[in-house]
């Protein structure tokens, strides 16, 4: 299995709950390495652009409002099969359906306030990493 990179957001609900460490511990325990990490406050324009694929969905406006209500932690994760592994440790989008021990089971409130985001495919991972991290930033952090 190839070493992959994926992109993660610890969302405003999890940051407000003081769960940055709790979420990160689960990622690390799953074998994912935090390659880059920074706390940022999304502007409305950034949140709208990041979630533009959901523009026509009824939850889009609420999602943008939620994602801008407080700081988030954006991260680049690396590891074997990182995209699938991250999604596994995140759990289902709806925490009611998330498996025991997953991030969303332990830290999410509902389908919107669901603690974390993770890329769903190699192409989106690449785009989402580039949305928040410059090539120079990533190069400076390379081991
Ligand atoms: P995320 O994995 O970041 O991708 C899109 C986000 O939209 C999702 O997590 C949730 O925060 C939110 N979302 C998805 N489905 C719904 C829904 N039915 N109602 C409200 N928010 C949703």
């Amino acid at each position: 299995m190839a070493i992959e990179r994926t992109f993660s957001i610890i969302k405003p609900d999890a940051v407000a709950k003081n769960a940055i460490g709790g979420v990160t511990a689960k990622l690390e325990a799953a074998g994912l390495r935090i390659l880059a990490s920074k706390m940022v406050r999304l502007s409305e324009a950034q949140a709208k652009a990041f979630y533009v694929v959901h523009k026509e969905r009824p939850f889009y406006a609420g999602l943008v409002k939620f994602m801008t209500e407080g700081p988030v932690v954006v991260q680049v994760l690396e590891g074997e099969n990182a995209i699938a592994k991250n999604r596994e440790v995140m759990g289902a989008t709806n925490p009611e359906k998330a498996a025991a021990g997953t991030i969303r089971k332990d830290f999410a409130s509902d389908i919107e306030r669901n603690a974390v985001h993770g890329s769903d495919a190699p192409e989106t991972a690449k785009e989402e990493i580039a949305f928040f991290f410059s090539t120079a930033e990533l190069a400076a952090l390379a081991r």
Side-chain angles (χ1 to χ4, degrees):
M1 193 57 72
I3 298 287
E4 273 180 343
R5 286 184 184 181
T6 190
F7 174 74
S8 164
I9 304 180
I10 305 177
K11 296 185 179 184
D13 59 328
V15 173
K17 276 182 190 170
N18 217 16
I20 296 171
V23 169
T24 303
K26 284 185 187 285
L27 297 173
E28 291 181 339
L32 293 162
R33 175 173 291 275
I34 314 295
L35 209 69
S37 184
K38 61 185 172 187
M39 189 179 262
V40 295
R41 178 80 181 255
L42 298 188
S43 67
E44 190 181 328
Q46 278 178 310
K48 280 183 169 169
F50 185 79
Y51 281 118
V52 72
V53 293
H54 298 304
K55 193 156 62 80
E56 306 303 333
R57 309 289 283 273
F59 58 80
Y60 183 63
L63 177 61
V64 169
K65 190 162 186 287
F66 161 53
M67 290 300 293
T68 57
E69 75 179 26
V72 300
V73 177
V74 293
Q75 297 179 317
V76 180
L77 312 178
E78 188 176 76
E80 271 193 19
N81 208 11
I83 295 168
K85 195 176 271 180
N86 182 40
R87 291 179 72 79
E88 196 182 316
V89 71
M90 281 162 55
T93 305
N94 185 346
E96 282 176 22
K97 296 182 181 159
T102 60
I103 292 169
R104 283 169 170 161
K105 186 69 177 181
D106 289 357
F107 299 115
S109 304
D110 57 45
I111 194 165
E112 179 179 81
R113 305 177 70 81
N114 65 354
V116 279
H117 166 82
S119 307
D120 61 2
E123 202 45 47
T124 41
K126 219 171 157 182
E127 286 169 16
E128 291 176 355
I129 289 169
F131 190 98
F132 285 103
F133 294 92
S134 70
T135 309
E137 251 176 320
L138 294 171
L141 294 167
R143 282 172 292 137

